[in-house]
Amino acid sequence: VRLFLQLGVVNLKMWLELLIVLLVTSLVNNQNVSLTEVIKSVANELSPDSILLLRFEEKSVACWNENSFLDNVPILNFNGDPIVPIRSKFNSNILGLVCLDNEGKIMETLYSNLKDMRDAPTILFALTDKQIHDIFLECRIHKMLNVLAFKNLEWWIVYSYRAFPTFEIVKRNVSGIHRYFEPQLKDLGGHVLKAMPDNIMPRTVVYRDRNGNRQMGGYLGEFIRNYARTLNATLKIRWDLVPEEGMTHLSKVSQIIDVDFPIGIDLLDIDSPKHKIPIEISSMFLMIPMEPSVPRAEFFGILNLPGLPGVIPMTMIMTAVLCVAYRLESGSCPRYESWVVADKVLRGLLAQPFILPRCLCPKIMFIYWLLLISGFFMTNYYSANLETWLVHPPTGNRIRTWEQLRHVNLKILTVRNELDFLSRVCGTKFFESNQDMFAITDSADYQRRRMTMDRSYAYTVTLTLWPHLQKAQVRLHRPSFRRSEEIVFLPFLVLAMPLPENSIYQNSLQRYAERTRQSGLYRFWFERSFDELTRLGKMSYMVDDQDQAYRDLKWEDFSFVWLTFVVLNSISLLLFLLELGHYRWQMRETHLSLN
C-alpha cells in the first residue's frame, strides 16, 4: 500500500508539471498572436476584394497600424464623417474593420455605409466586455450577423455572437478556430419567421379550412414553407395584415410593415431596390375572348385563302398563252378569243376531265400539263380547307389592334394599381389615347372575373397565370379565351420577391431560389398549384354543353351554294335565250337576203 501511494504521488506530480508546461506554452503562443496573422487567416477564409477601415479620428486609438494589412488587398480608409455607398461605388465583397473610438457615431456611419450589404463580415475593436455586449445587441437590431470583436488588443481571444434562437455571446481562442465567421442561418432553432401573402392567385391564395381557420396556399406559399423548414424555423402568417378578400400589392407595403417575407412577386427593373430576389421570367399581354366562328354558310364563298388569289391570275395568264400558242402553231395571227380553249381551261381549273386535241406539239402539251397541275393543286387545297373548317370552324375577324377593340366595344378590366403600372411602362401618351378602353373595379371582383374567365371583358395577364387558364379550357372543343400575340404590354419582364430593406435572409433566400429552380422543385410547385386551386374551388375546368364538336350539315349551310347555283343557271338560261334569239335573227336576215 505504501509503495502504491508513493507511485501515485509521483504520477500526480508528473501530471501537474505537464499541465503547467502546457498552460505556459499556450499562454506564450496566444500572446505571440498578432493582428496581421488574424487578418491573414480571415482573408484566406473570405478572399475579400477590399478592406474597409473605419474610425472616428485617425490618431485617437491605436487599433491597428499600416503594417497590419496585406499588400495585395486594396484598403478603403474612411473616418466617421463621410457616408459613402460602398456597394455602388466600390464592391460588396469587403472586410470591414471598425475602431470603436467614438462608439455611437462610428456605428451609425457603419450602418449607413453598409446599406443593402449588412451581411458584410466586420471586425470590431472594443475596450470592455460590456461594450462588446452592447454593440452585439445593436448589431442584431440593425441586421448585422457577421460580426467579430477583439478587446484591448488581445488578438488571441475573439468574440462573436449567436443570434438564433436566443442571443448568446461566444468567446473563442484564436488557436483553435477553423472558421472565424460561422453561418448564422444554418439552424434557427425554431425561430419565428413572419410572412404576409399578397393573395394574388395562383402565387398565393388565402382560404378557410373546414374548421374556419385561415390558411395559405399557392406555389409561393409552398416555396416559403419549404424554405422555413430548411432553416429549422417556424413560419407565422400575419393574418391581421391580410384582408379577407382582395389582393395586396406588396411592392411598397413590404417596407412599412413588420414582416420577414412579403410573399408575392413584383417587377424588377433598373430602378428597383437591391433587396429583391429574382424569381421568374415572364411577359405581360392581353387575354381576349375568342372571336365567334365563321358560319358554315360562308365557307363556300371564302376565296381569301393563302395563295389562292395568286392562282387565279396565273391561270388566266396560262389561258392567254395557250390561245397564242394555238394561233402560232396554225400559222395565223395570234388572237386571244377562243371559246374552245376557254372551255378546256375552265375544266382544267376545276379539275374536271376534258378531251385533249390530237397531235399536239410539245410546247402546247407542256402548257396543258401546267394547267392540269395548277387545277389539281388548287381544287385539292380548297377542298382540304373546306373539310377542315367543317370540323374546326375558323374565327371571324381577329382582334389585333386597339382600334378593333374599340370597334367591338370590348373593355379591359383592371384595378387601380395595375392601371398606374401600365401608364408608367407604356408611356403617358399611349395611356391617354387609350384610357377609355380600361374599366376599373376592386381587386376581389377583378380576380373573381379573371379566374372564372368572364367574357364581358378582356384582361391583362402574365405567364404566371396564363398556363393555368389554358389548362382550365382543355375540355372545351373551342377555347373561351386566347392569348393576344399583337397587344403585348411587356414582352420581357423579370419578376422578383420584395424583401424588407437590409434583410438578413436575402443571400440565403437567393441561393435557395436558384436551387429550387435548378432542381425542378419550383416548376413542380407551380404546376401542382392548379390542382390545389381546383380543389379549393377557386378554379375549375370549363365545360360548355352547348358547344358541339361536330354536327351534321343543314339546309341553311348551303345557302351560298344554292344562291350561286340559281344565279349561274339564270345567267346560263338568259345567255341561251340570247343565243337562240340571235340565231333566229340571223336566219331571218339570211332568208330575206336570198329572197
Side-chain angles (χ1 to χ4, degrees):
V1 173
R2 185 180 300 172
L3 180 61
F4 180 75
L5 291 175
Q6 290 178 355
L7 291 174
V9 171
V10 173
N11 289 333
L12 181 61
K13 290 179 63 178
M14 292 176 60
W15 281 106
L16 288 175
E17 291 175 356
L18 180 60
L19 181 60
I20 292 172
V21 171
L22 290 175
L23 289 175
V24 172
T25 304
S26 176
L27 182 61
V28 172
N29 291 336
N30 287 337
Q31 291 179 349
N32 290 332
V33 175
S34 64
L35 178 60
T36 303
E37 295 177 355
V38 172
I39 294 178
K40 184 177 180 180
S41 300
V42 173
N44 292 333
E45 177 182 325
L46 302 176
S47 300
D49 294 332
S50 57
I51 296 178
L52 171 66
L53 303 182
L54 195 61
R55 53 184 170 183
F56 187 70
E57 294 181 1
E58 189 173 352
K59 298 182 179 180
S60 57
V61 178
C63 296
W64 54 72
N65 54 58
E66 296 180 356
N67 299 325
S68 302
F69 309 110
L70 304 177
D71 296 333
N72 57 347
V73 181
I75 303 298
L76 305 177
N77 194 355
F78 295 155
N79 55 30
D81 292 331
I83 297 178
V84 181
I86 303 295
R87 182 167 187 158
S88 59
K89 297 295 184 181
F90 300 99
N91 59 79
S92 59
N93 185 24
I94 68 169
L95 170 64
L97 274 66
V98 182
C99 185
L100 300 177
D101 47 4
N102 190 325
E103 179 181 329
K105 191 170 183 179
I106 201 69
M107 291 304 295
E108 289 297 328
T109 304
L110 176 66
Y111 301 143
S112 300
N113 287 342
L114 298 184
K115 182 180 179 181
D116 296 328
M117 49 179 295
R118 297 285 174 85
D119 60 332
T122 306
I123 300 177
L124 306 177
F125 299 92
L127 299 177
T128 63
D129 290 339
K130 185 178 184 305
Q131 187 182 28
I132 292 177
H133 180 273
D134 295 340
I135 288 296
F136 280 169
L137 284 176
E138 185 179 341
C139 288
R140 187 188 183 190
I141 295 174
H142 286 82
K143 303 176 182 179
M144 290 187 62
L145 302 184
N146 295 329
V147 180
L148 303 179
F150 290 97
K151 183 187 69 172
N152 282 336
L153 306 182
E154 296 177 356
W155 312 123
W156 57 91
I157 299 295
V158 60
Y159 295 83
S160 60
Y161 76 94
R162 293 192 181 97
F164 305 104
T166 57
F167 180 79
E168 178 186 0
I169 293 182
V170 180
K171 185 178 180 181
R172 295 176 292 170
N173 196 304
V174 171
S175 60
I177 291 179
H178 298 286
R179 185 173 184 177
Y180 281 87
F181 293 92
E182 296 181 345
Q184 293 272 20
L185 302 180
K186 186 176 182 179
D187 184 359
L188 301 189
H191 178 72
V192 176
L193 301 179
K194 292 172 288 186
M196 175 186 174
D198 60 0
N199 197 24
I200 299 179
M201 294 181 279
R203 306 166 191 169
T204 59
V205 52
V206 177
Y207 64 96
R208 290 189 179 272
D209 59 15
R210 64 182 62 183
N211 299 322
N213 300 322
R214 302 183 74 183
Q215 302 292 336
M216 178 186 66
Y219 67 92
L220 282 187
E222 190 64 31
F223 174 82
I224 288 296
R225 273 193 292 266
N226 190 70
Y227 176 68
R229 286 192 290 267
T230 60
L231 299 183
N232 191 23
T234 303
L235 186 65
K236 178 183 178 182
I237 305 298
R238 291 287 307 273
W239 294 118
D240 56 316
L241 301 175
V242 182
E244 190 71 26
E245 294 183 355
M247 304 180 298
T248 303
H249 293 271
L250 301 176
S251 56
K252 297 181 180 179
V253 178
S254 60
Q255 306 305 319
I256 60 177
I257 58 178
D258 183 22
V259 292
D260 297 309
F261 300 102
I263 309 177
I265 52 180
D266 193 16
L267 176 66
L268 179 67
D269 53 21
I270 192 171
D271 297 326
S272 298
K274 305 298 183 181
H275 45 268
K276 283 189 175 184
I277 305 299
I279 295 291
E280 300 175 10
I281 295 177
S282 182
S283 62
M284 191 174 187
F285 47 87
L286 198 62
M287 183 178 80
I288 301 177
M290 185 67 74
E291 295 84 355
S293 301
V294 176
R296 279 185 171 182
E298 299 181 9
F299 290 176
F300 303 94
I302 298 178
L303 296 178
N304 58 345
L305 295 175
L308 187 60
V311 174
I312 298 176
M314 185 184 299
T315 307
M316 296 176 63
I317 294 174
M318 291 173 61
T319 304
V321 171
L322 187 60
C323 292
V324 173
Y326 264 117
R327 297 298 180 180
L328 291 176
E329 286 293 327
S330 62
S332 60
C333 297
R335 297 176 60 191
Y336 177 76
E337 297 80 11
S338 177
W339 293 103
V340 177
V341 175
D343 178 70
K344 291 180 172 55
V345 170
L346 181 60
R347 290 177 180 273
L349 177 64
L350 299 177
Q352 295 180 357
F354 62 90
I355 299 175
L356 280 174
R358 296 181 179 180
C359 301
L360 293 176
C361 66
K363 294 180 180 179
I364 297 179
M365 196 65 186
F366 177 71
I367 296 174
Y368 271 115
W369 180 80
L370 292 179
L371 177 64
L372 292 174
I373 290 296
S374 62
F376 172 79
F377 280 110
M378 186 176 66
T379 53
N380 279 276
Y381 181 55
Y382 186 85
S383 300
N385 277 277
L386 182 60
E387 293 173 2
T388 303
W389 289 345
L390 291 175
V391 181
H392 301 284
T395 59
N397 295 327
R398 293 174 66 91
I399 299 175
R400 303 179 186 274
T401 62
W402 289 90
E403 288 73 17
Q404 290 176 319
L405 273 177
R406 188 176 285 104
H407 178 72
V408 298
N409 196 24
L410 182 63
K411 292 187 177 295
I412 303 171
L413 190 66
T414 185
V415 293
R416 173 55 62 182
N417 289 335
E418 193 169 90
L419 188 63
D420 296 338
F421 170 75
L422 291 177
S423 65
R424 188 172 70 253
V425 298
C426 296
T428 306
K429 183 178 180 180
F430 170 83
F431 178 73
E432 290 177 352
S433 61
N434 297 288
Q435 190 174 6
D436 60 317
M437 297 302 302
F438 293 91
I440 300 176
T441 184
D442 59 274
S443 59
D445 179 66
Y446 170 70
Q447 190 153 233
R448 178 184 60 81
R449 289 178 180 271
R450 188 171 64 168
M451 298 299 289
T452 58
M453 285 181 278
D454 186 354
R455 292 179 57 86
S456 303
Y457 298 94
Y459 308 91
T460 57
V461 70
T462 64
L463 289 179
T464 302
L465 179 60
W466 178 242
H468 288 65
L469 297 178
Q470 274 188 309
K471 194 173 182 179
Q473 303 179 80
V474 294
R475 297 182 181 178
L476 294 177
H477 173 64
R478 189 169 179 273
S480 180
F481 275 80
R482 69 173 179 87
R483 172 183 175 177
S484 176
E485 301 291 345
E486 295 81 18
I487 304 179
V488 180
F489 300 101
L490 286 173
F492 178 85
L493 58 91
V494 180
L495 299 176
M497 177 179 291
L499 292 180
E501 191 175 10
N502 298 314
S503 174
I504 61 176
Y505 305 102
Q506 181 171 355
N507 291 336
S508 173
L509 185 62
Q510 189 164 355
R511 289 192 299 269
Y512 168 77
E514 293 174 357
R515 291 169 182 170
T516 55
R517 285 196 300 270
Q518 293 170 0
S519 63
L521 268 178
Y522 192 85
R523 186 67 185 178
F524 171 73
W525 292 327
F526 174 77
E527 294 177 352
R528 195 174 63 174
S529 62
F530 177 81
D531 298 328
E532 182 182 22
L533 291 174
T534 54
R535 187 173 63 253
L536 296 175
K538 304 295 184 179
M539 291 191 72
S540 62
Y541 287 100
M542 298 183 65
V543 178
D544 191 356
D545 297 332
Q546 297 180 354
D547 188 12
Q548 300 178 5
Y550 177 80
R551 65 175 178 83
D552 294 333
L553 291 172
K554 297 181 180 180
W555 183 268
E556 295 82 3
D557 296 337
F558 295 96
S559 58
F560 181 82
V561 176
W562 292 120
L563 179 62
T564 305
F565 177 78
V566 170
V567 171
L568 293 181
N569 275 277
S570 300
I571 295 174
S572 299
L573 180 60
L574 180 61
L575 291 176
F576 173 73
L577 294 175
L578 291 175
E579 289 178 357
L580 186 61
H582 180 70
Y583 173 76
R584 289 185 176 182
W585 177 77
Q586 281 186 337
M587 291 297 294
R588 188 171 58 250
E589 290 292 329
T590 304
H591 180 71
L592 291 175
S593 62
L594 291 176
N595 292 333

